[in-house]
Amino acid sequence: AQKITQTQPGMFVQEKEAVTLDCTYDTSDQSYGLFWYKQPSSGEMIFLIYQGSYDEQNATEGRYSLNFQKARKSANLVISASQLGDSAMYFCAMREGARSNYQLIWGAGTKLIIKP
Amino acid sequence: EAQVTQNPRYLITVTGKKLTVTCSQNMNHEYMSWYRQDPGLGLRQIYYSMNVEVTDKGDVPEGYKVSRKEKRNFPLILESPSPNQTSLYFCASSRDRVGGYTFGSGTRLTVV
């Protein structure tokens, strides 16, 4: 079974609009962490935002926020006021607390294209 | 600047010719890991290291070796590369269990 599911293979969004990228996860651990990364066409992997399973507030980092709904096991990334430079692949990832190897489990990614 | 440095960025090699991809971090992180990224398969962990001289297999370790003789360095070794190891490789490091992961810029390897 997929541990991280990103249901949107690709999205087109008009510049300056807000964007929500979906991510659902599956774990039986009580302690886990959720991450979002951005991968531009140049290939590097850029850390965006982190949410811990025990964090009561939704994480925010500048224009990025994470809509964490624990009961639904979803961790959607919201980008406010999108910019052309936001065009990239976006990956959701999870680190489970019970695993001792610090491994990140990755979703398949969403390709976001911002239209001018 | 805190970073993970991988070299080379691009490499084309022939089947069977041993190669090493270097990875170095300047953040004194204990944890380091290697991933490969393939279209449709996402990122998969190859090997990881919890500290100096402590390494273990990830999900796809076949055909790879690693070593961790110093805290800052974690090279990936392909003793006899094959075309199915053509991929984009990432090295990553983390301070601890709850910290974010810092990735290197990636190494695009082609084995012909």
Side-chain angles (χ1 to χ4, degrees):
Chain A
Q2 291 279 6
K3 290 261 187 174
I4 297 286
T5 303
Q6 294 181 251
T7 57
Q8 306 149 312
M11 287 183 74
F12 286 90
V13 173
Q14 200 68 39
E15 189 181 8
K16 297 180 184 160
E17 289 184 353
V19 181
T20 297
L21 304 180
D22 295 341
C23 174
T24 58
Y25 59 92
D26 181 26
T27 182
S28 56
D29 288 355
Q30 296 301 308
S31 173
Y32 52 90
L34 297 155
F35 301 79
W36 277 92
Y37 282 85
K38 173 184 178 181
Q39 187 177 39
S41 57
S42 51
E44 69 265 32
M45 200 66 76
I46 302 167
F47 168 72
L48 295 178
I49 198 166
Y50 166 79
Q51 179 86 40
S53 58
Y54 293 122
D55 294 341
E56 295 186 354
Q57 306 255 13
N58 285 345
T60 61
E61 290 284 350
R63 292 187 300 113
Y64 303 108
S65 61
L66 200 152
N67 183 2
F68 182 45
Q69 297 187 41
K70 197 169 181 177
R72 296 181 60 188
K73 294 189 174 177
S74 77
N76 298 340
L77 176 71
V78 180
I79 307 174
S80 63
S82 58
Q83 302 170 356
L84 296 178
D86 293 333
S87 294
M89 283 290 289
Y90 288 81
F91 292 94
C92 179
M94 175 175 66
R95 170 190 42 76
E96 292 176 290
R99 296 180 73 94
S100 62
N101 69 1
Y102 293 57
Q103 180 178 170
L104 283 177
I105 303 164
W106 297 79
T110 295
K111 184 165 186 174
L112 176 64
I113 297 174
I114 307 297
K115 300 182 291 183
Chain B
E1 181 190 351
Q3 60 186 1
V4 176
T5 303
Q6 278 181 246
N7 280 296
R9 288 292 307 274
Y10 302 92
L11 179 60
I12 301 174
T13 190
V14 296
T15 299
K17 186 176 180 183
K18 181 179 178 179
L19 66 92
T20 299
V21 184
T22 63
C23 175
S24 180
Q25 50 94 3
N26 62 0
M27 296 165 281
N28 202 38
H29 285 173
E30 292 189 348
Y31 173 80
M32 297 185 76
S33 178
W34 277 101
Y35 289 88
R36 62 177 287 175
Q37 184 181 21
D38 302 290
L41 297 176
L43 279 88
R44 295 176 292 168
Q45 191 182 54
I46 303 169
Y47 268 94
Y48 66 96
S49 170
M50 305 278 274
N51 213 326
V52 175
E53 302 292 1
V54 181
T55 64
D56 207 346
K57 297 176 181 178
D59 292 332
V60 288
E62 294 77 21
Y64 305 95
K65 285 174 57 177
V66 293
S67 68
R68 189 91 181 271
K69 294 185 172 62
E70 313 162 271
K71 200 170 189 179
R72 63 184 292 125
N73 295 324
F74 190 45
L76 180 69
I77 303 155
L78 285 74
E79 295 271 3
S80 182
S82 61
N84 65 12
Q85 292 178 299
T86 293
S87 187
L88 177 59
Y89 290 86
F90 287 101
C91 180
S93 75
S94 177
R95 183 189 72 232
D96 53 33
R97 189 175 270 276
V98 298
Y101 295 79
T102 303
F103 279 77
S105 299
T107 296
R108 198 170 289 277
L109 172 66
T110 302
V111 183
V112 298

